[in-house]
Amino acid sequence: MTGRALLDSEAAKLRGAPFTYSEVGLTRAVELPGGYGVVRRSRVAGFGAERFEDAAQTLLSWNMHRRAGLTVRPSDAPVVEGSVAIVRVGASRFGLDAPVRVVYVIDESHRKGFAYGTLPGHPERGEEAFVVELRDNGAVAFTITAFSRPATLLARLGGPVTRVIQSRVTNRYLKAV
């Protein structure tokens, strides 16, 4: 599910929109902000420099999202700081659009990834970071760190169901890389 790229006017509107939370960039912190549901998940995604580069490419090209079954309409591919996207969860008229903006990009020799934050119209408020790392032992670790809480009435009413959906999407991300 590729989705067409955002039009320049759509991207400009999203770039000008405020984040829906105030703790921008805090997925980098050891301690995540209070008052949110927190996700910290990691898995070994293979071994070696070639696997690391492949995982980083999958992540930074938005293909992790696509392989997880989501539709992505990005402003930029590969991901750069300030990129915006509409990530669509679900199909056709029953799907939900989730607008996001990239908060930071990690581009180090042994660590690559990015974090995005929620924009108005996203069913949640918060931030999610996706990082691949080539460890000294050759293992390629993929880590997802997120904090979020419901932003819409529908998400609040979903309660535990919303968290189950988020957990399933996170599992699909982990498998996609």
Side-chain angles (χ1 to χ4, degrees):
M1 296 185 214
T2 57
R4 61 181 166 75
L6 287 174
L7 299 174
D8 289 343
S9 60
E10 292 173 304
K13 183 178 178 184
L14 291 176
R15 283 190 181 104
F19 287 106
T20 59
Y21 64 106
S22 60
E23 302 87 348
V24 176
L26 285 188
T27 49
R28 289 184 189 206
V30 173
E31 189 173 321
L32 298 178
Y36 291 91
V38 170
V39 172
R40 288 185 198 265
R41 301 275 304 278
S42 190
R43 74 177 286 249
V44 172
F47 293 87
E50 187 175 321
R51 179 66 189 108
F52 169 73
E53 291 300 330
D54 180 59
Q57 172 63 27
T58 297
L59 184 60
L60 295 170
S61 66
W62 299 99
N63 281 333
M64 173 196 69
H65 290 78
R66 294 179 181 107
R67 289 180 184 176
L70 306 177
T71 301
V72 182
R73 296 183 52 225
S75 63
D76 303 281
V79 171
V80 295
E81 191 169 324
S83 291
V84 291
I86 296 176
V87 179
R88 185 162 183 83
V89 181
S92 68
R93 61 183 158 190
F94 300 110
L96 292 172
D97 286 342
V100 296
R101 182 167 56 240
V102 174
V103 175
Y104 61 84
V105 173
I106 298 168
D107 187 13
E108 300 168 4
S109 62
H110 289 81
R111 285 181 77 228
K112 298 196 184 290
F114 70 97
Y116 57 50
T118 58
L119 299 173
H122 196 294
E124 298 285 320
R125 297 179 196 277
E127 191 170 289
E128 194 162 21
F130 311 97
V131 179
V132 292
E133 177 182 11
L134 180 59
R135 295 186 174 157
D136 290 341
N137 67 358
V140 177
F142 174 44
T143 302
I144 298 172
T145 304
F147 59 89
S148 66
R149 62 180 171 224
T152 65
L153 179 61
L154 181 62
R156 283 190 294 276
L157 292 174
V161 173
T162 301
R163 292 291 177 211
V164 168
I165 292 168
Q166 286 178 323
S167 179
R168 286 186 180 163
V169 170
T170 299
N171 288 339
R172 291 185 346 209
Y173 286 159
L174 289 166
K175 289 177 186 172
V177 169

